Amino acid sequence: MFCPTSSIIRGLFANELTDWSLFPEAEEFWGAELQTLEGHADEVYSLCASSHGQRLASGCRDGTIKLWDSATGQLQQTLSGHSDTVRLVNFSHDNQLLVSASVDEIIKLWDATTGELQETFENHPTWLYTVVFSPDSQQLVSYSENGTMNMKIWEATERKPLQTLKERPGPVDSIAFSPDGQEVGSGLEDHTFKPLDFDLRQRLQTLGEGSGSIGNVSFSPDGQKLASSSEDGIITLWVPTADTLQPVKKIQARGPALLEFSPDGQKLAAASNDIVELWNIEKGVVEGTCDGRSHRPGEHGRITSLSFSPDGKHLAFDPFDKTIRVWGLTDDPPKILSGHTRRVTSFVFLPGCQQLASASEDRTIKIWDLTAGKSQQSTNEKSFSGSTRSIAFSPDGQQLASGLTDGTIKLWNLTTGEMKPIRNAHDDAVQSVAFSVKGYHRLVLASGSDTTIKLWDPKTGQKAWPLGQLHSAGVRSLGFLPDNRLVSGWSDGAIKVRNTKIWDITTSDMTIRAHDASVESISFTKDGLLVSGAYDGTCRLWDLARSANQPEQVFEGAVGDFDGSIRTISISPGDQQLAGSAPNGPTTVWNLNLSKDPKDPKDQRRQIHERHSNWVWSKSGAGISILDGQWLCLNGERKLWLPKQYRADCIATSHERIALGHPSGDVSFIMMPQAHG
C-alpha cells in the first residue's frame, strides 16, 4: 500500500489490497531513504559512524546511547549511565572505544565491542561542548566553559587529565586536531586563534586576526594548512613554520562561516548564513556557490553543519529545515533528503560515499542512498513547514480542513482531490478547525497561540469575517451545536456558547466554568448535549437547556501520559459510547447514559485501551485508533502498520473514510475493509 506505484513489490502483492477501496497517496519511485532506525524514547542529538562504516552510535536526550548495525538497522546495544542529554558521541579511530559527552558535565569512555564502561571523567565543572580523539586513539581533548576557557587533555585510559588549559575568559567556538596529533587548534570569541602544542602541553602563540571573534577553525587533511573564520567574514589560511603559524592568505567571505577542507586539501567550503561557497585555496577564488535557503515557505536557512564526502565529490549540509542537502559541487541544485519530521541534529557520510546517516529531534536515525532520487530546486512552493495540528470533515463529507502548526490552513476538495492552502491564516499554530452545521458551509478556524478566531469561505479560501481578538486565554477547541451556535473551549477551562450571527466573540451568550484546566476537545450528541474533554483528565456531559452550572455526568479518565489528560474525545454515531484519549494513550471508552438519572461514574467505564490514542468512530460504529503511534487499529486490534512518513498526529472520519493528519503537514485518506462495529 505504501510502496511506490511502479515498484516490483507493489505488483507482487497487489491481490492483498483488493479489500482496501482507498489508498494513501504513494510515490511513483523509491526515494533516497533506505532505513529508519527507531528505538530512542526521546530526541536524538548526536550521531557518529565507525571508521569502517559498519556501526552507528547515537546519543539521546534521555541520557542513553544506542549502537546500531548500519547494514541491517538492528539495534545492538543500549548504553546507560548519563543523567542528561548526550550531546556528543565519537568512535576512536581504531573503532575500539566510544566516547560520550553529556550535559551532565561528565565524559564516559566505553568499550565499543562489549558496551562496558571503561572510564568516567568527572573533572569538568561546566557544560561540555566537544570532545575528540587524537589520531592514534590514545588521547582525548575536551572543552567546556563557564565564561573561562577550560580545555583538558586526557589519556584515554586514565581518569586524570594530563593538562588543563584555563588561562583567560573567552569561550572556545571550535577545536580541531592536526592529522599527526601533534597540535590542537581552538577558535575563541576574543578575536584570537590559539594553536596548542600537544606534546609540550603548552600554548605556542596567540594570533589576532580580523576585527571580529574567531568562530571556527579547520585543519587540512595533511596538517599543512589551517583555516580560521572571523566574525567580520575574513577567512585566514595559516601554515606552520618551525615554532609558529604564519598567515599566508586572507579571503573575504560573505560573513562568519563554518569551514571544511576537502579531502585533498585543495578546496575549502565556507557556509555563511544560508549560502555555501567553494573556494579554490591556491587561486583564492570561488569555484561554486550553493543556495542553502530553506525550501519551506516562512523558514529562513541557517546552515549549522557541513561535511565533505570521503571522496571529495559531495558536500552535505544542514539548512536547519528538517532536511539535509547533498551538493555535487556543480551548477546543479543540491539533492534534498527529506523525511525527518523535526530538526536534523547530526549527519555523517558512511564509507564508500554512497550512503549518509542522519539523526533528528524526531527520535529517529535515517540511512539514505545518495545514488537514488533526483536533484531538487531549493524552493518548493508546495512545501509547508508545519505539522498537522487538527483536521475536520464537512458535514456532507465532501470537504476536509486541516490546520497546521505554522499557521496554514489547507482546504481539501475530496471529489476532485484539489488542495487549496491558506498561508499565514494565523500568526501561530491553528489549534482547531470546524465546519458550520447548517446552510452555507463556512469554516471556522481558531488559533490559541495568536488569540484569534476567523471565518473562512471554503470555496474561495477568502476570509469571511474575523470573529474578534481574544484576550485572557486562547481557544483550544471549536464546534457547532445542531442549531449552528458556536461553542469554543478555552485554555482557562471555560466553555463559551455564542450565536454566530453576532460576530463579537469576546462576549458570549453563555459561559460555563467547565474545567479546572484547558478544554482540549468538545463534541455533541445528536440531541445537542455537549461533551467536553480537558487536561484535568475528565470528560463532562452538559445539557445547555437545563443548566450551565453543573454537568449532567462526569467521566474520570484513566491515568496515563500527562497525568491522564484528555486530548481528544469522540462520540459513537448512535450516542452509545464516549471515547477519551490522552496524547499518547491510554484511551478510555465509556458507555454513555443519557437518561435523566446519571449512573455512578465507576459503572460508566467500559474498557481501557492502553497506549491507544486519537480514538474516533466510523459511521458504522467501529472504533478507530492509533497504537504506539505506529498502528492503525480497528476496535483495538492492529490492522495496518504505518511507516514513519505516514504516521498521524490527528485523525478524523467521515462515513468509512479515514483522514490521517501527518507531521509533514500532509493528509492521507484510507478506507479500511470491514470497518464495522
Side-chain angles (χ1 to χ4, degrees), residues 565-587:
S565 62
I566 303 296
R567 175 67 184 83
T568 62
I569 60 175
S570 181
I571 301 173
S572 63
D575 293 342
Q576 309 256 326
Q577 294 176 300
L578 168 67
S581 300
N584 296 307
T587 290

Side-chain angles (χ1 to χ4, degrees), residues 49-182:
S50 59
S51 61
H52 48 49
Q54 296 174 8
R55 307 181 79 196
L56 295 172
S58 54
C60 183
R61 185 179 179 181
D62 64 7
T64 63
I65 301 158
K66 292 187 183 292
L67 299 176
W68 312 82
D69 184 314
S70 61
T72 65
Q74 181 179 0
L75 176 63
Q76 296 179 328
Q77 297 182 72
T78 298
L79 312 181
S80 300
H82 286 292
S83 61
D84 210 327
T85 302
V86 179
R87 299 188 73 251
L88 293 160
V89 286
N90 272 313
F91 282 102
S92 60
H93 297 279
D94 59 9
N95 299 316
Q96 298 303 304
L97 298 171
L98 178 76
V99 66
S100 60
S102 169
V103 176
D104 63 11
E105 303 172 4
I106 293 174
I107 297 171
K108 291 184 180 290
L109 195 66
W110 312 81
D111 185 308
T113 302
T114 66
E116 294 182 0
L117 180 63
Q118 301 294 301
E119 298 289 345
T120 297
F121 307 108
E122 298 182 341
N123 288 342
H124 264 295
T126 50
W127 191 342
L128 283 159
Y129 277 95
T130 189
V131 57
V132 292
F133 276 100
S134 62
D136 63 4
S137 302
Q138 297 303 304
Q139 292 165 320
L140 295 167
V141 168
S142 62
Y143 162 68
S144 66
E145 62 92 8
N146 59 352
T148 301
M149 173 182 168
N150 194 331
M151 188 180 293
K152 294 178 183 287
I153 301 170
W154 312 76
E155 287 287 356
T157 57
E158 299 290 337
R159 295 176 185 233
K160 295 182 179 180
L162 295 173
Q163 182 76 4
T164 298
L165 305 169
K166 183 178 180 180
E167 295 191 4
R168 57 156 64 178
V172 173
D173 282 352
S174 61
I175 62 175
F177 267 100
S178 62
D180 61 6
Q182 301 303 304

Side-chain angles (χ1 to χ4, degrees), residues 639-661:
K639 288 295 181 181
L640 181 66
W641 181 79
L642 301 172
K644 183 71 177 179
Q645 63 270 35
Y646 288 97
R647 292 180 189 169
D649 286 339
C650 51
I651 61 178
T653 60
S654 177
H655 298 85
E656 304 305 323
R657 177 186 282 163
I658 304 167
L660 306 176

Side-chain angles (χ1 to χ4, degrees), residues 222-492:
D222 61 5
Q224 297 305 304
K225 294 185 287 290
L226 186 141
S228 65
S229 172
S230 63
E231 194 176 63
D232 56 9
I234 293 177
I235 298 174
T236 304
L237 297 176
W238 312 78
V239 295
T241 60
D243 57 359
T244 186
L245 288 174
Q246 292 291 339
V248 294
K249 191 183 293 291
K250 291 184 180 181
I251 296 171
Q252 182 62 60
R254 292 172 178 263
L258 291 173
L259 302 175
E260 179 78 3
F261 276 96
S262 61
D264 62 7
Q266 300 303 305
K267 294 178 173 59
L268 181 71
S272 179
N273 295 323
D274 54 7
I275 300 295
V276 180
E277 294 179 321
L278 184 66
W279 289 85
N280 183 306
I281 296 175
E282 182 67 26
K283 298 178 180 178
V285 297
V286 176
E287 290 190 340
T289 300
C290 184
D291 188 344
R293 285 178 293 187
S294 173
H295 72 296
R296 300 174 183 268
E299 290 193 359
H300 302 286
R302 181 166 63 87
I303 297 171
T304 57
S305 56
L306 72 165
S307 176
F308 276 98
S309 59
D311 61 7
K313 295 181 179 180
H314 295 88
L315 180 72
F317 59 92
D318 163 26
F320 208 72
D321 68 347
K322 309 174 191 175
T323 71
I324 305 155
R325 312 292 175 86
V326 181
W327 181 31
L329 309 183
T330 66
D331 292 334
D332 293 331
K335 179 178 295 182
I336 300 176
L337 305 181
S338 178
H340 283 296
T341 57
R342 296 186 63 186
R343 182 175 69 90
V344 175
T345 56
S346 183
F347 62 86
V348 60
F349 281 98
L350 301 184
C353 307
Q354 303 299 306
Q355 295 179 353
L356 180 141
S358 60
S360 168
E361 289 180 348
D362 66 8
R363 306 183 180 186
T364 68
I365 297 102
K366 291 183 182 292
I367 299 176
W368 309 86
D369 179 2
L370 300 182
T371 64
K374 299 179 181 179
S375 296
Q376 302 176 32
Q377 296 293 336
S378 297
T379 301
N380 183 348
E381 294 183 354
K382 294 184 179 180
S383 297
F384 298 86
S385 60
S387 59
T388 306
R389 179 68 176 81
S390 55
I391 53 178
F393 281 98
S394 63
D396 61 7
Q398 299 303 304
Q399 289 182 291
L400 180 131
S402 61
L404 277 62
T405 55
D406 65 358
T408 300
I409 298 161
K410 292 183 177 181
L411 303 174
W412 307 78
N413 184 317
L414 302 184
T415 302
T416 65
E418 178 187 5
M419 188 277 290
K420 181 180 298 183
I422 305 174
R423 300 184 187 274
N424 303 314
H426 288 273
D427 294 335
D428 214 313
V430 179
Q431 296 288 353
S432 183
V433 292
F435 281 90
S436 56
V437 180
K438 294 181 178 180
Y440 184 69
H441 291 165
R442 284 188 293 191
L443 180 63
V444 178
L445 309 137
S447 172
S449 300
D450 70 359
T451 64
T452 63
I453 298 177
K454 299 176 183 178
L455 270 174
W456 302 87
D457 183 338
K459 292 185 177 181
T460 64
Q462 298 298 310
K463 188 186 298 183
W465 202 278
L467 288 188
Q469 185 77 20
L470 313 179
H471 297 289
S472 61
V475 173
R476 300 290 297 177
S477 51
L478 280 177
F480 283 94
L481 286 164
D483 61 8
N484 227 30
R485 283 185 294 167
L486 171 65
V487 180
S488 55
W490 296 53
S491 58
D492 62 1

